[in-house]
Amino acid sequence: MLHKIIFLLDRRAHILVRAELGLAYSQFMIIMALKHRGSISQRALADSSGLTPAAISRQVSGLVTKGLVKFQVNARNRRQHALSLTSRGDRAAIQAQLLLGRAFERLFRRLPGRQQTGLNAALRQLLDLICQEASAATRLPGDKSVRA
């Protein structure tokens, strides 16, 4: 059931982002990754997103054309480029967050109060578990430290 909910929420986000901001969902995801991570290489973006480097390249090209993303050349290695949001891209990220936040908040508020509270608590616990698992998965063998 969770997989179906995620699919339907993603689909709704795709439709809203396309209609309101004129962005493909993959472009939206790239913008959000840059908003949260700051400057990042295309390769690192591809690795973290699960998209192919070719797909990232195509989507980034469209975002550069729209003035939402800029390339910065590494002074030490001209073959390496870092991507970052332009001020317009930063505004688009904020706009997208607000748009989706409002849409999903309206949906959430249709639940009775006790169910909202219970669902919110359960989702926070699930998020914590997922983050803990992801953190454990990125530790090196023999590393006992806990990363937040």
Side-chain angles (χ1 to χ4, degrees):
M1 178 171 38
L2 191 56
H3 185 69
K4 185 172 184 174
I5 290 169
I6 292 167
F7 171 79
L8 293 172
L9 289 174
D10 269 351
R11 182 71 185 134
R12 182 70 180 135
H14 170 84
I15 290 167
L16 285 169
V17 167
R18 171 74 72 187
E20 298 294 325
L21 302 175
L23 295 173
Y25 193 62
S26 55
Q27 290 177 324
F28 161 73
M29 296 302 289
I30 290 168
I31 285 174
M32 296 313 297
L34 293 173
K35 176 74 174 161
H36 293 290
R37 295 185 65 182
S39 183
I40 186 173
S41 72
Q42 272 189 237
R43 168 57 88 191
L45 189 56
D47 291 344
S48 68
S49 70
L51 296 172
T52 66
I56 290 290
S57 182
R58 282 190 303 276
Q59 296 304 327
V60 165
S61 179
L63 291 169
V64 169
T65 300
K66 291 178 182 183
L68 302 175
V69 171
K70 62 185 174 185
F71 283 105
Q72 296 168 316
V73 177
N74 183 334
R76 287 183 235 145
N77 183 345
R78 297 194 50 80
R79 293 182 344 171
Q80 289 182 347
H81 300 112
L83 302 171
S84 60
L85 291 177
T86 63
S87 58
R88 187 172 173 196
D90 191 59
R91 287 191 304 274
I94 292 167
Q95 201 176 1
Q97 287 174 316
L98 292 173
L99 172 71
L100 296 179
R102 283 191 303 265
F104 294 142
E105 180 70 20
R106 280 192 302 271
L107 180 63
F108 186 72
R109 287 188 186 267
R110 291 172 62 189
L111 294 171
R114 289 177 61 114
Q115 287 181 347
Q116 286 181 31
T117 302
L119 179 59
N120 193 34
L123 290 173
R124 284 187 188 280
Q125 287 178 327
L126 183 59
L127 179 60
D128 288 345
L129 291 171
I130 291 168
C131 290
Q132 289 170 9
E133 194 172 277
S135 178
T138 60
R139 281 192 214 118
L140 296 174
D143 183 1
K144 304 282 189 227
S145 65
V146 177
R147 295 184 185 132

